[in-house]
């Protein structure tokens, strides 16, 4: 079973008041993987009522920026990004507990009968807040090669996801430090769970659609918000690269908070607006491993090189020896031994002569 999360909010249609868009928005088309977000209404969003009142075009630079930069919680935003990985870990832990509870199993029994598999990608919103898209399914105990148990239904997984996302366990706290208050981070309310189908049945969420979106997220990073694509040494670099004001304030918040939360390494990840996780991650047996992908790439390149050199076909799984090495011995050759002995004898004579000359000077009192 695979699930897809989309936002439920339907922004007003710019074609006229009272009209509503269909369940899709300009920047997020159907097939977007699961989305868990940080709720914040202090920014302008495409299609929002505030943006329409300001008469802003869809790609205006003001979209995604704070309505009032002086009151916007930039520190809370970067701290949420920084704790997003911890929040995801607690979510998956709670999700397994919710699944076990609905199946009437203990945690040990769940591990013996089923396995929760997922693939997750992270995407930056225009305003600089991270959110996740994830595809989830329940496999058999040994992964996708085994059938899931009969109790693993779509409704059970859907209910478990919703319950885990809103459970109090799925939260991460940041302690108070200096003038910063204590904060507790949770997922936002915009959670949409949708099944992903493997065969065409008229659904707009298919395996192909999800794969295309994951490929799109793989090419997007924090630069979408105007920040830099590399680590920042000092704040003066922002002036040289013309970083926009909204991203600049988020980066400055990382610089300000770094000495208050040194273990979070906020300044080291300021170019990622505090987020320090991988853009893509997966459970252990969700699909193929990165090692297998690297090996397949190496085999492909080797086959290309073999063909370009015009070499004959070889038997698979054999070792091709292009050159061989033989042991030739160690130490000097006879000629090198004579030369080395001559040099060593000359150095020894020089030392002995110097000692004798030094002794004569001492005896004569001239030293």
């Amino acid at each position: 079973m695979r699930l897809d999360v989309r936002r439920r909010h339907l922004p007003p249609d710019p074609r006229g008041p009272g009209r509503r868009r269909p369940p899709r928005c300009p920047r997020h088309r159907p097939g977007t993987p699961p989305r868990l977000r940080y709720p914040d209404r202090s920014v302008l969003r495409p299609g929002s009522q505030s943006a329409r009142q300001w008469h802003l075009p869809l790609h205006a630079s003001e979209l995604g920026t704070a309505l009032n930069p002086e009151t916007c919680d930039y520190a809370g935003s970067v701290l949420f990004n920084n704790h997003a990985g911890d929040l995801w870990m607690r979510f998956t832990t709670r999700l397994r507990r919710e699944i076990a509870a609905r199946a009437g199993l203990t945690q040990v029994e769940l591990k013996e009968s089923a396995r929760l598999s997922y693939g997750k990608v992270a995407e930056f919103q225009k305003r600089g807040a991270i959110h996740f898209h994830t595809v989830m399914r329940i496999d058999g105990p040994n992964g996708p090669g085994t059938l899931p148990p009969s109790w693993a239904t779509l409704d059970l997984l859907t209910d478990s996801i919703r319950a885990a996302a809103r459970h109090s366990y799925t939260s991460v706290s940041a302690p108070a430090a200096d003038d910063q208050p204590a904060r507790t981070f949770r997922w936002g309310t915009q959670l949409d769970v949708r099944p992903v189908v493997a065969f065409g049945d008229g659904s707009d969420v298919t395996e192909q659609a999800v794969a295309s979106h994951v490929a799109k997220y793989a090419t997007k990073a924090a630069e979408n918000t105007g920040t830099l694509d590399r680590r920042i040494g000092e704040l003066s670099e922002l002036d040289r690269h013309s970083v926009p004001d909204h991203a600049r304030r988020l980066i400055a918040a990382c610089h300000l908070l770094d000495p208050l939360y040194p273990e979070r390494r906020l300044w080291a990840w300021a170019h990622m607006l505090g987020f320090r996780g991988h853009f893509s991650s997966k459970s252990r047996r969700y699909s193929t491993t990165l090692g297998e992908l690297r090996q397949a790439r190496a085999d492909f390149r080797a086959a290309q090189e073999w063909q370009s050199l015009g070499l004959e076909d070889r038997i698979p799984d054999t070792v091709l020896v292009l050159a061989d090495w033989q042991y030739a011995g160690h130490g000097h050759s006879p000629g090198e031994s004579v030369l080395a002995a001559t040099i060593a004898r000359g150095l020894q004579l020089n030392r002995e002569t110097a000692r004798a000359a030094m002794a004569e000077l001492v005896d004569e009192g001239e030293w």
Side-chain angles (χ1 to χ4, degrees), residues 27-28 122-126 131 133 213-224 272 279:
R27 294 189 300 117
H28 301 286
E123 182 189 14
F124 276 92
Q125 296 172 319
K126 183 67 175 177
H131 66 280
H133 304 262
H213 277 280
V214 171
K216 180 187 73 172
Y217 304 140
T219 62
K220 296 179 63 177
E223 307 93 81
N224 181 53
M272 295 292 289
F279 91 92

Side-chain angles (χ1 to χ4, degrees), residues 35-43 45 72-81 84 87 125 127-132 183-190 250:
R35 180 172 299 138
L36 295 169
R37 304 178 54 203
Y38 172 53
D40 185 355
R41 302 182 181 277
S42 62
V43 296
R45 299 172 181 158
C72 182
D73 187 14
Y74 291 101
S77 181
V78 297
L79 284 173
F80 173 83
N81 290 346
L87 191 57
Q125 296 172 319
R127 59 188 170 124
I130 199 74
H131 66 280
F132 295 137
R183 292 180 172 89
T184 299
F185 301 108
R186 301 178 54 85
W187 296 124
T189 59
Q190 295 178 341
L250 291 170

Side-chain angles (χ1 to χ4, degrees), residues 2-286:
R2 303 180 183 179
L3 298 179
D4 183 19
V5 174
R6 290 168 45 85
R7 68 170 64 181
R8 293 179 297 175
H9 173 67
L10 301 183
D13 195 316
R15 295 174 296 179
R19 304 179 66 179
R20 308 297 293 181
R21 289 183 184 272
R24 58 186 74 183
C25 63
R27 294 189 300 117
H28 301 286
R29 298 178 292 278
T32 310
R35 180 172 299 138
L36 295 169
R37 304 178 54 203
Y38 172 53
D40 185 355
R41 302 182 181 277
S42 62
V43 296
L44 290 176
R45 299 172 181 158
S48 67
Q49 187 65 31
S50 299
R52 295 203 315 117
Q53 290 175 349
W54 284 24
H55 305 288
L56 296 176
L58 180 62
H59 300 289
S61 60
E62 292 83 359
L63 292 175
T65 62
L67 293 172
N68 186 352
E70 301 303 323
T71 60
C72 182
D73 187 14
Y74 291 101
S77 181
V78 297
L79 284 173
F80 173 83
N81 290 346
N82 189 259
H83 287 81
D86 300 331
L87 191 57
W88 171 260
M89 180 181 65
R90 295 182 71 86
F91 167 73
T92 55
T93 300
R94 186 64 210 177
L95 178 56
R96 292 183 177 90
R97 296 175 183 175
E98 295 290 344
I99 292 174
R102 283 163 174 73
L105 304 174
T106 64
Q107 291 291 303
V108 175
E109 291 172 339
L110 177 64
K111 294 180 180 179
E112 295 174 349
S113 61
R115 175 184 293 269
L116 175 66
S117 299
Y118 62 84
K120 171 180 66 69
V121 292
E123 182 189 14
F124 276 92
Q125 296 172 319
K126 183 67 175 177
R127 59 188 170 124
I130 199 74
H131 66 280
F132 295 137
H133 304 262
T134 178
V135 180
M136 293 184 172
R137 67 171 184 259
I138 298 179
D139 295 329
N142 296 321
T146 54
L147 293 175
S150 58
W151 52 259
T153 63
L154 177 63
D155 291 338
L156 180 142
L157 185 53
T158 301
D159 293 342
S160 300
I161 290 176
R162 296 187 183 281
R166 64 173 178 263
H167 197 275
S168 59
Y169 177 83
T170 310
S171 61
V172 180
S173 298
D178 198 14
D179 60 339
Q180 296 296 324
R183 292 180 172 89
T184 299
F185 301 108
R186 301 178 54 85
W187 296 124
T189 59
Q190 295 178 341
L191 174 66
D192 184 14
V193 183
R194 305 180 66 184
V196 179
V197 298
F199 305 99
D201 63 347
S203 174
D204 56 4
V205 184
T206 63
E207 287 183 332
Q208 292 77 12
V210 172
S212 64
H213 277 280
V214 171
K216 180 187 73 172
Y217 304 140
T219 62
K220 296 179 63 177
E223 307 93 81
N224 181 53
T225 65
T227 184
L228 302 181
D229 60 355
R230 58 188 177 280
R231 289 193 171 180
I232 304 170
E234 53 187 20
L235 290 176
S236 60
E237 295 183 24
L238 306 182
D239 297 325
R240 295 197 298 268
H241 296 283
S242 302
V243 176
D245 181 71
H246 183 68
R248 182 190 299 264
R249 289 175 181 267
L250 291 170
I251 294 172
C254 291
H255 186 269
L256 177 66
L257 296 173
D258 185 64
L260 303 182
Y261 304 95
E263 73 284 356
R264 305 305 304 183
R265 303 188 68 231
L266 283 159
W267 180 238
W269 295 97
H271 64 296
M272 295 292 289
L273 307 183
F275 179 66
R276 58 179 187 173
H278 295 284
F279 91 92
S280 176
S281 61
K282 65 180 183 64
S283 57
R284 184 176 298 273
R285 298 189 182 180
Y286 173 76

Side-chain angles (χ1 to χ4, degrees), residues 308-329:
S308 64
L309 294 176
L311 301 177
E312 297 179 358
D313 294 337
R314 57 186 173 86
I315 302 175
D317 300 327
T318 60
V319 178
L320 175 64
V321 179
L322 299 178
D324 64 293
W325 297 85
Q326 295 182 355
Y327 179 70

Side-chain angles (χ1 to χ4, degrees), residues 354-367:
R355 292 193 190 99
M358 184 69 68
E360 292 177 359
L361 292 175
V362 172
D363 293 340
E364 296 175 358
E366 297 181 4
W367 179 250

